[in-house]
């Protein structure tokens, strides 16, 4: 790959993510200084320093700045977006109007900090100055969005603003939402002067969590961690059949965990892996497509997922560790399936891997090494937990200090080991002789990069009797501090261990990497910062107007109340929006509008869809949009490196990602995949069965299993996939899942329900806005004993039985049923709300029995195809 192609790909990253303006030394230094200041500010507010400084100096602004941080956060984002992203083609200079926009944008945000006490004394009573500053802020935000993210989000935001201003003039909208319109003053105050609009949940999460994770990833990348990931992947898998492509998948998964951008991930790993894939026989389009499919899925991989995953914490109101748990199986299954797709492509083309010095590592040994590594990390974790538990009685609440000593000792030890090997350099993939590096020196030469990741995972996940998990923000903060120490010290310490005389120069090299990480983290956050601010306009409009009811009614009419059709529409909507929006903004828009609709339609169909499943559905399709033609920017970045056709690259990449597109539909109907109410033993079974199903599905999409598949074999294999993913479908055809009872018998069924058991209540009530009688389904899990009416009342549902009708009163405030029912249904109209039926789950055979015939059929296909196989499987 020539320098021109690399430059083209890097320019694409700059234009899409970090800013492509080169306006001379002064502007460059100013942007650089602002990036450093932004990163240091974020580290400052994430630490305990504001409170310490405020206590020491008596100046309250130091502590209060944490509460005002989102205003400063957006000010940095607006200023940097204006300076770093050109508009109207001014790439080589900053025109006067941009300087004016810099001043206006910063002033509109900082106005809320400087006059915060005055604003707090008059909530809702906005002055003329308030409204003027709000209007300026909204205008500069939309311009910044246009610069850094393009026109689509501006159009969507403008449509929602138009709804806020002019929606009251529509009788149809008014009849659905009871919204009468908003004045300019009311709307601007709602969007800018309080935390219901621009400065809402999304920007708050960007300020407190997303920035720190992005900064952590940037520091790790600049210090050499990203290159270490790539080299380890090549060393581990490069010599296998189609090895560079498999290494691309593994390295993209690892770098994707620390990169918030599919495009940046594509360029980071693709610069090295795409030329290697072409060298062993992949076409330019397939080489780019493998990298695109690998890189886009990186944001799905725990423990550090894409920025939207942190928003889930707030929107679904669950801890981040729960998001990680739900995302774990689908991500692992998806990546293993992509490795399998790459393997099948290599088999079809008869490809080999890279040459490798030393002993050849086979597939079994690779699996053994990976499992051993995982078990080794688990063993280290349990040892540290045991040591801290042993020390807790002697030094209560202070065992973190010996843990830090152990961490420091491990770091020094790993640096000593790394110093025995040459530094890991970035190889030239276009060199005449390219070989896969040896695993041992490659892995040990950079194993210390794993320590900050270990710190991150420890703080996010480990919880014992004496230890509490840290919040995602604090976890990222301490991991970033660990990464800063690594970036500053790993070069000079290795030089000292080697007895080299240039320790001072190595210290300067470490400092340069640290500063480059601070700059890179801030630059990577510009687009996310303005995107979360602009997404706040959409969320604010929904809270102001009830827009989700409008969208919900339109989608429900189009789908006809059919959940499958609704899910297909949401998937298509996510893909279309994702062509022009970053994943974070796409997720906010679609989840805000459609998540309640999916849950409602599912309940009306008798399917209880967990909210996390809906949000994961939207999240997956938002990420898949990055390689969806004709606008998938990741595909264009890969094509710039491979010299292939970007449209074909995107189409092939999306064909590889069909396996990922299948998963969201599966975990809507089979929540076992998300490990919802699944124990450890069942989780292992779910993993292996789902993995087999996904590998078989991948084989169907490739038309190749053990040998080239015939059409009837592919059809049979699809039946096997369905049986493995949805065994309950076949069981439902044979045995009824529920027994439904009505009237007084329903109350008797509730009374006899064991404590901790559950029943499904079908409720009929008139719609709050239209008066049309509809039905929905809710789950009842009574804890109190007593009669049926008493148990329903204890759960928050007041019921009166008259002539066999179970009339339902409005649910008690503070109960889950109040939020689910009171906002949508009228409990005081002429038509009474009532419990139509109670469904009790029947005792029946385990649905897993249907795995047996599915696996038998699969074995028969294997035996049939083995006769036609023309080459060994590995």
């Amino acid at each position: 790959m020539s320098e021109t192609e690399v430059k083209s790909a890097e320019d694409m990253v700059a234009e899409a993510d970090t800013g492509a303006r080169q306006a001379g030394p002064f502007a460059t230094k100013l942007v650089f200084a602002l990036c450093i200041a932004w990163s240091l500010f974020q580290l400052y507010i994430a630490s305990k320093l504001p409170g310490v400084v405020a206590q020491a100096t008596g100046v309250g602004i130091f502590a209060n700045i944490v509460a005002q941080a989102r205003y400063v956060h957006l000010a940095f984002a607006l200023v940097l977006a204006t300076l770093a992203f050109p508009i109207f083609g001014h790439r080589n200079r900053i025109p006067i109007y941009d300087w004016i926009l810099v001043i206006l944008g910063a002033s509109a945000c900082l106005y809320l900090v400087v006059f915060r006490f005055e604003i707090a004394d008059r909530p809702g009573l906005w002055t003329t100055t308030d409204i003027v500053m709000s209007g300026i802020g909204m205008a500069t935000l939309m311009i910044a969005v246009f610069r850094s993210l393009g026109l689509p989000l501006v159009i969507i935001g403008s449509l929602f603003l138009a709804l806020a201003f002019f929606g009251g003039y529509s009788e149809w909208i008014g009849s659905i939402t009871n919204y009468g319109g908003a004045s300019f003053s009311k709307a601007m105050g709602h969007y800018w002067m309080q935390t219901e609009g621009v400065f809402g949940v999304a920007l708050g999460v960007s300020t407190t969590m997303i920035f720190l994770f992005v900064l952590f990833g940037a520091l790790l990348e600049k210090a050499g961690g990203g290159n270490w990931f790539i080299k380890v992947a090549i060393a581990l898998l490069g010599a296998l059949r189609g090895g560079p492509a498999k290494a691309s998948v593994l390295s993209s998964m690892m770098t994707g965990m620390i990169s918030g951008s599919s495009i940046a991930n594509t360029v980071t790993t693709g610069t090295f892996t795409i030329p290697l894939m072409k060298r062993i026989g992949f076409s330019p389009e397939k080489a780019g497509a493998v990298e695109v499919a690998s890189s886009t899925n990186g944001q799905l991989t725990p423990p550090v997922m894409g920025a939207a995953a942190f928003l889930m914490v707030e929107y679904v109101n669950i801890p981040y560790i729960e998001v990680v748990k739900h995302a774990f199986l689908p991500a692992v299954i998806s990546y293993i399936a992509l490795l399998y797709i790459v393997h099948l492509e290599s088999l079809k083309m008869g490809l080999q891997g890279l040459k490798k010095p030393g002993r050849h590592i086979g597939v079994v040994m690779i699996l053994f090494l990976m499992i051993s590594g995982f078990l080794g990390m688990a063993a280290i974790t349990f040892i540290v937990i045991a040591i801290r538990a042993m020390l807790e009685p002697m030094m209560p609440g202070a065992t973190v200090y010996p843990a830090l000593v152990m961490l420091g000792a491990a770091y020094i030890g790993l640096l000593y080991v790394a110093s025995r090997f040459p530094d890991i350099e970035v190889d030239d993939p276009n060199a005449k002789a390219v070989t896969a590096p040896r695993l041992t020196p490659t892995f040990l030469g950079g194993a210390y990069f794993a320590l900050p990741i270990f710190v991150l995972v420890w703080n996010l996940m480990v919880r014992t009797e004496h230890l509490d998990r840290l919040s995602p923000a604090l976890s990222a903060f301490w991991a970033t501090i660990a990464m800063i120490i690594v970036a500053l010290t790993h070069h000079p310490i290795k030089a000292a261990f080697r007895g080299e005389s240039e320790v001072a120069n190595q210290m300067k090299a470490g400092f340069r990497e640290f500063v480059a990480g601070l700059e890179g983290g801030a630059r990577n956050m510009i687009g996310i910062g303005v995107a979360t601010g602009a997404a706040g306009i959409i969320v604010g409009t929904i809270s102001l107007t009830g827009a989700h009811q409008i969208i919900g009614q339109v989608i429900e009419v189009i789908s006809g109340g059919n959940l499958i059709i609704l899910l297909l529409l949401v998937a298509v909507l996510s893909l279309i929006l994702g062509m022009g929006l970053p994943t974070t903004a796409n997720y906010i828009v679609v989840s805000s509008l459609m998540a309640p609709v999916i849950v409602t339609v599912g309940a009306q169909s008798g399917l209880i869809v967990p909210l996390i499943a809906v949000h994961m559905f939207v999240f997956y399709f938002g990420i898949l949009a990055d390689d969806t033609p004709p606008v998938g920017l990741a595909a264009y970045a890969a094509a710039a490196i491979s010299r292939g056709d970007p449209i074909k690259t995107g189409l092939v990449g999306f064909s590889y990602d069909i396996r990922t597109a299948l998963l969201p539909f599966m975990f809507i109907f089979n929540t076992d995949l998300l490990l919802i109410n699944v124990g450890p033993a069942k989780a292992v079974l779910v993993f292996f069965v789902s993995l087999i199903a996904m590998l078989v599905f991948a084989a169907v999409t490739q038309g190749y299993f053990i040998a080239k598949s015939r059409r009837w074999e592919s059809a049979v294999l699809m039946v096997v996939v369905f049986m493995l993913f949805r065994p309950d479908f076949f069981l439902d055809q044979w045995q009824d899942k529920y027994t439904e009872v009505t009237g007084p018998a329903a109350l008797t069924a509730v009374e006899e329900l064991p404590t901790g058991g559950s029943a499904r209540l079908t409720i009929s009530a008139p719609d709050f806005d239209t008066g049309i009688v509809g039905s929905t389904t809710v789950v009842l899990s009574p804890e109190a004993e007593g009669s049926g009416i008493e148990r329903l009342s204890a759960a928050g549902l007041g019921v009166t039985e008259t002539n066999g009708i179970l009339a339902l009163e409005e649910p008690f405030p503070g109960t889950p049923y109040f939020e689910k029912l009171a906002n949508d249904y009228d409990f005081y109209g002429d038509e009474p709300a009532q419990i139509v039926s109670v469904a009790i789950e029947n005792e029946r055979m385990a649905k897993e029995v249907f795995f047996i015939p599915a696996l038998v059929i699969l074995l028969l296909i294997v035996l049939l195809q083995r006769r036609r196989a023309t080459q060994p499987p590995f």
Side-chain angles (χ1 to χ4, degrees), residues 213 303-304 310 320-321 324 455-462 469-473 475-476:
F213 280 93
V304 184
F310 301 104
Y320 183 69
I321 185 65
V324 169
V455 170
L456 177 64
V457 175
W458 173 284
N459 288 327
L460 279 173
M461 296 188 175
V462 174
R469 295 189 193 101
L470 297 185
S471 67
S475 299

Side-chain angles (χ1 to χ4, degrees), residues 142 151-161 538 577 581 589:
M142 297 298 271
L151 197 57
L153 187 54
V154 176
I155 294 174
I156 293 171
S158 300
L159 290 174
F160 277 86
L161 286 173
I538 295 156
L577 289 178
L581 300 184
V589 172

Side-chain angles (χ1 to χ4, degrees), residues 667-738:
F667 55 60
I668 287 287
F669 295 99
N670 182 7
T671 56
D672 289 351
L673 274 171
L674 298 180
L675 299 181
I676 296 176
N677 299 322
V678 171
K682 188 175 180 181
V684 173
L685 176 64
V686 169
F687 169 71
F688 282 108
V689 171
S690 300
L691 178 59
I692 292 171
M694 184 53 69
L695 295 181
V696 174
F697 179 74
V700 172
T701 63
Q702 293 301 303
Y704 194 101
F705 189 30
I706 308 299
K708 185 176 180 180
S709 298
R710 293 166 179 158
R711 290 183 180 179
W712 71 266
E713 290 175 332
S714 293
V716 171
L717 288 175
M718 278 301 298
V719 174
V720 170
V721 171
F722 188 74
M723 291 177 72
L724 293 175
F725 270 130
R726 284 292 312 278
D728 51 338
F729 174 83
F730 298 94
L731 184 58
D732 291 343
Q733 311 309 310
W734 185 19
Q735 296 177 330
D736 291 333
K737 186 173 184 178
Y738 297 101

Side-chain angles (χ1 to χ4, degrees), residues 17-18 30-46 69-81 84-85 203 206-208 210-212 214-215 517-532:
D17 285 348
T18 60
L30 177 60
V31 170
F32 171 78
L34 287 171
C35 288
I36 301 300
W38 193 10
S39 292
L40 293 176
F41 169 76
Q42 294 290 158
L43 286 170
Y44 174 74
I45 63 170
R70 61 183 69 181
Y71 305 130
V72 181
H73 180 85
L74 185 60
F76 272 115
L78 290 180
V79 170
L80 284 169
F85 289 88
L203 191 67
S206 175
T207 304
T208 57
I210 296 174
F211 192 104
L212 291 171
V214 171
L215 178 59
L518 294 180
E519 182 190 13
R523 279 186 172 272
N524 292 340
M525 274 301 300
I526 296 172
I528 296 175
V530 297
T532 50

Side-chain angles (χ1 to χ4, degrees), residues 771-792:
I772 299 173
V773 176
S775 65
T776 189
T777 304
V778 298
V779 175
L780 172 71
S781 298
E783 297 180 0
E785 296 291 345
S787 66
I789 289 180
E790 290 171 344
R791 299 186 85 179
L792 288 166

